[in-house]
Amino acid sequence: ETGVTQTPRHLVMGMTNKKSLKCEQHLGHNAMYWYKQSAKKPLELMFVYNFKEQTENNSVPSRFSPECPNSSHLFLHLHTLQPEDSALYLCASSQERDGWAFFGQGTRLTVV
Amino acid sequence: DQQVKQNSPSLSVQEGRISILNCDYTNSMFDYFLWYKKYPAEGPTFLISISSIKDKNEDGRFTVFLNKSAKHLSLHIVPSQPGDSAVYFCAASATGTSGTYKYIFGTGTRLKVLA
């Protein structure tokens, strides 16, 4: 248990579906992140939130829409995804000054 | 353009011997480096870090070395144990203007420790 919980663990969705990934941390961290891990590629940073404010959007397509209602929760809303969006989506959180992040276990997403 | 590179996708080491995992980076603004370990079906877990003001950091069996002039870091595991078998990710960060850390990861090296 790392303190960062992601749900669901697995998700299969059609290209016309709308779904959401949820991330929750009760570590008192101020920053939360979404990462994407595709096969044989580096972990790609998607979004960064600091004190609920989005501070980074790494040229992510608009079919991915993040939401951070408070510093403990982070969502990733998905709509009209493509098969190439199938990947492991990882949420992480960190305290600004600690310099390293706790990761959740990830959501394995398959787009069919 | 991949700013953090782990050129060895896999490594096999005999139990009890030293494992050396390597990582190269290109961005001279990186000032903090981390190693993460990842088991299948789990998220990465933090292993050890080093800041750019140091050239070595040790924690038990794990030691990270940083060579800033070569833009190279390495993780040494001594002695290697079968439970160390996992994928190891190198990550580098530069403090963002907002105060958050932006982590750039390598592609990972799969370590297999043979009993």
Side-chain angles (χ1 to χ4, degrees), chain A residues 36-39 82-89 109-112:
Chain A
K36 175 184 177 183
Q37 187 183 20
S38 305
Q82 305 297 313
E84 59 264 29
D85 296 322
S86 299
L88 180 69
Y89 289 85
L109 173 68
T110 304
V111 181
V112 296

Side-chain angles (χ1 to χ4, degrees), chain A:
Chain A
E1 175 59 51
T2 65
V4 180
T5 305
Q6 286 186 246
T7 53
R9 293 292 308 277
H10 300 272
L11 178 63
V12 179
M13 61 185 287
M15 289 190 283
T16 58
N17 291 160
K18 286 185 181 181
K19 296 284 183 185
S20 296
L21 309 184
K22 180 182 175 183
C23 177
E24 190 172 350
Q25 60 93 5
H26 295 289
L27 300 167
H29 289 169
N30 302 319
M32 294 188 78
Y33 312 77
W34 279 116
Y35 282 87
K36 175 184 177 183
Q37 187 183 20
S38 305
K40 298 182 182 177
K41 284 187 176 181
L43 274 167
E44 300 171 57
L45 179 65
M46 299 175 74
F47 301 103
V48 181
Y49 277 82
N50 189 34
F51 290 100
K52 303 186 299 177
E53 299 297 320
Q54 185 177 313
T55 58
E56 185 103 21
N57 176 338
N58 231 19
S59 303
V60 181
S62 59
R63 57 186 184 270
F64 295 91
S65 174
E67 180 191 358
C68 189
N70 55 61
S71 12
S72 298
H73 293 86
L74 185 65
F75 295 90
L76 187 63
H77 303 300
L78 316 169
H79 62 99
T80 58
L81 294 192
Q82 305 297 313
E84 59 264 29
D85 296 322
S86 299
L88 180 69
Y89 289 85
L90 289 158
C91 172
S93 70
S94 72
Q95 270 291 78
E96 291 176 21
R97 288 170 290 181
D98 282 354
W100 47 276
F102 287 93
F103 281 82
Q105 293 179 292
T107 295
R108 173 71 60 188
L109 173 68
T110 304
V111 181
V112 296

